[in-house]
Amino acid sequence: MSSRKELFEIRESKILQTAEQLILESGEGDLTLDSLAQHLDLAKGTLYKHFASKDELLLRILIHHERKLFMMNKTADGAGAGVARMVLQQLRLPQRAMLFNHIEERLASTSSGLNKIFAELYQIRRERMKCMLDIAETYLNEQQSAMTVRDYMASIWAIGQGGAGLLNSSFYQRYLGSRETLKYAFVKQLLDLPKLYPLSDELDRDEGAADGYTKGNLIQGKDQSIASEMQDQSAVGF
């Protein structure tokens, strides 16, 4: 027989899954606790046993999603597969990628009292960031590329987020043709990109390190930006 704690966790997981489904179906991130309770056949008060507010529920959905992405990034099946996975995490469900970014920005700028939960989100994201940097660095070394980790990661983010925007646009869809071949093209471009910067001199990477483009500096820069972001949120009452 399941304990009360286990039943509570099972119910919370179901709430998160259903809420995410309703958000994606709305297309605008629109969700009310009344509609959520109705879909789950629960009393609205039961939802408040798990989440203090709708904003906390939304942030918990983002944390749950970030954890899933992190676990995917930790899959040990080669650096090339890891790079492809980073891109496809944005491109597989572009609506979700764009919508979740929008929800996070809105919560960061308008909600209050969520600083501890935001800290949890940023901690998971920081660990995921370190994992992705390791993958990028390994792939660059395998390709004997002089491209810096910073530049490669910036390219991955640009194509991932930009591609998600294209794939999520009803206007541009009429000009793009097959979505699957476009996703393949994006991934192939990023896997081929390091080859355009062959490692011609051992000093190439040393120069990149001198310019502050090493993996360690990129992680440090990410940590500093997260700390700055947390301070900004505190300034607006988080």
Side-chain angles (χ1 to χ4, degrees):
M1 181 180 295
S2 299
S3 67
R4 181 176 298 182
K5 179 180 178 181
E6 290 173 335
L7 292 174
F8 185 88
E9 291 174 348
I10 291 171
R11 184 172 64 192
E12 184 166 295
S13 178
K14 187 175 181 180
I15 292 172
L16 290 171
Q17 292 174 5
T18 304
E20 179 176 338
Q21 179 183 349
L22 293 175
I23 289 172
L24 295 175
E25 288 176 355
S26 74
E28 299 292 337
D30 188 25
L31 175 72
T32 66
L33 294 184
D34 287 321
S35 65
L36 178 59
Q38 183 178 1
H39 274 81
L40 289 164
D41 195 23
L42 294 174
K44 185 177 178 180
T46 302
L47 299 179
Y48 286 111
K49 294 180 181 179
H50 295 266
F51 311 100
S53 66
K54 184 178 79 170
D55 285 348
E56 180 182 336
L57 169 61
L58 292 173
L59 192 50
R60 287 295 177 189
I61 291 173
L62 299 183
I63 290 173
H64 179 68
H65 179 61
E66 194 74 24
R67 282 202 182 101
K68 288 194 295 184
L69 294 180
F70 183 28
M71 294 306 298
M72 291 172 63
N73 292 130
K74 290 173 69 176
T75 304
D77 56 356
V83 169
R85 186 175 295 110
M86 281 189 263
V87 188
L88 290 173
Q89 283 177 338
Q90 295 282 337
L91 301 181
R92 276 202 182 104
L93 290 174
Q95 178 198 18
R96 181 173 62 186
M98 302 297 292
L99 190 56
F100 280 15
N101 285 339
H102 172 72
I103 290 173
E104 181 178 342
E105 290 176 2
R106 181 181 64 78
L107 291 176
S109 61
T110 63
S111 299
S112 60
L114 298 176
N115 55 316
K116 290 184 179 180
I117 306 177
F118 263 109
E120 183 178 346
L121 173 64
Y122 295 151
Q123 177 60 31
I124 298 169
R125 186 168 293 163
R126 181 162 50 244
E127 292 302 314
R128 179 173 168 242
M129 179 72 176
K130 293 176 181 178
C131 177
M132 291 190 295
L133 291 171
D134 285 338
I135 293 170
E137 183 180 46
T138 299
Y139 187 69
L140 289 171
N141 288 332
E142 289 177 354
Q143 299 301 309
Q144 297 184 338
S145 176
M147 193 176 192
T148 64
V149 176
R150 184 208 66 169
D151 290 352
Y152 194 40
M153 287 300 298
S155 300
I156 292 172
W157 288 322
I159 290 182
Q161 295 184 17
L166 280 175
L167 292 168
N168 195 49
S169 169
S170 58
F171 176 81
Y172 287 109
Q173 271 303 301
R174 70 190 73 175
Y175 304 105
L176 295 178
S178 169
R179 295 166 63 91
E180 293 307 312
T181 56
L182 184 62
K183 293 175 187 177
Y184 174 81
F186 283 143
V187 172
K188 189 174 187 306
Q189 287 172 23
L190 282 170
L191 290 175
D192 291 343
L193 182 60
K195 301 173 186 176
L196 300 178
Y197 302 87
L199 191 61
S200 57
D201 194 317
E202 292 183 358
L203 294 179
D204 287 346
R205 285 293 178 85
D206 294 336
E207 291 173 358
D211 290 336
Y213 295 163
T214 63
K215 181 185 71 170
N217 284 331
L218 188 52
I219 293 175
Q220 183 180 12
K222 181 64 175 178
D223 286 344
Q224 290 172 347
S225 66
I226 291 173
S228 176
E229 191 171 0
M230 291 294 291
Q231 291 172 356
D232 292 342
Q233 290 164 0
S234 298
V236 294
F238 269 34

